[in-house]
Amino acid sequence: MKKYAEGTEVPAEKSRTEIERTLTRFGADQFLYAREAGRAAIKFRMNGRQISFVLPLPLVTDFPLPPGYMTATAMRAAQTKRDSLFDQAVRQRWRDLALIVKAKLVAV
């Protein structure tokens, strides 16, 4: 079984914007977005309450380069592949959060 959003091509910024629009529709009136290595956070105010979601994010180092000697061309190809895998994991996490936020708001 595939994970939700596995293989998504939706940019993380678009998912973040979608989350903010969803929160606005449900009555949120203040937003804060923060990011540091390994995590991001979205905070907002809704019905007088401060709510936050902390999103664990991968690190580039979670996708190591293959060990051993590589030519400059092979090194660039490996780095490109690593960066692609990293970007995909970040996009997937943001799509997951967008789904979770919608589900929680609808359930409440």
Side-chain angles (χ1 to χ4, degrees):
M1 180 194 276
K2 286 178 68 173
K3 290 182 178 180
Y4 176 78
E6 186 177 351
T8 187
E9 294 182 10
V10 178
E13 297 78 23
K14 186 171 181 180
S15 295
R16 195 175 80 220
T17 301
E18 181 182 329
I19 291 167
E20 188 172 330
R21 276 187 313 209
T22 300
L23 291 169
T24 300
R25 274 196 344 254
F26 280 86
D29 60 358
Q30 292 181 353
F31 299 95
L32 173 69
Y33 163 73
R35 183 173 179 177
E36 66 180 3
R39 67 183 180 166
I42 290 184
K43 298 183 180 203
F44 57 95
R45 186 176 74 174
M46 183 181 288
N47 299 325
R49 292 189 171 148
Q50 300 289 329
I51 302 165
S52 65
F53 288 96
V54 176
L55 179 63
L57 293 174
L59 300 170
V60 173
T61 55
D62 294 338
F63 303 90
L65 295 171
Y69 174 79
M70 288 192 276
T71 64
T73 303
M75 179 62 84
R76 281 192 300 276
Q79 288 171 334
T80 300
K81 175 71 172 169
R82 178 196 61 197
D83 293 347
S84 176
L85 291 171
F86 170 75
D87 291 342
Q88 178 60 43
V90 170
R91 287 193 305 270
Q92 180 180 347
R93 301 268 172 37
W94 277 102
R95 292 308 301 158
D96 292 344
L97 183 60
L99 177 67
I100 289 167
V101 167
K102 284 180 188 177
K104 288 183 181 235
L105 291 171
V106 168
V108 171

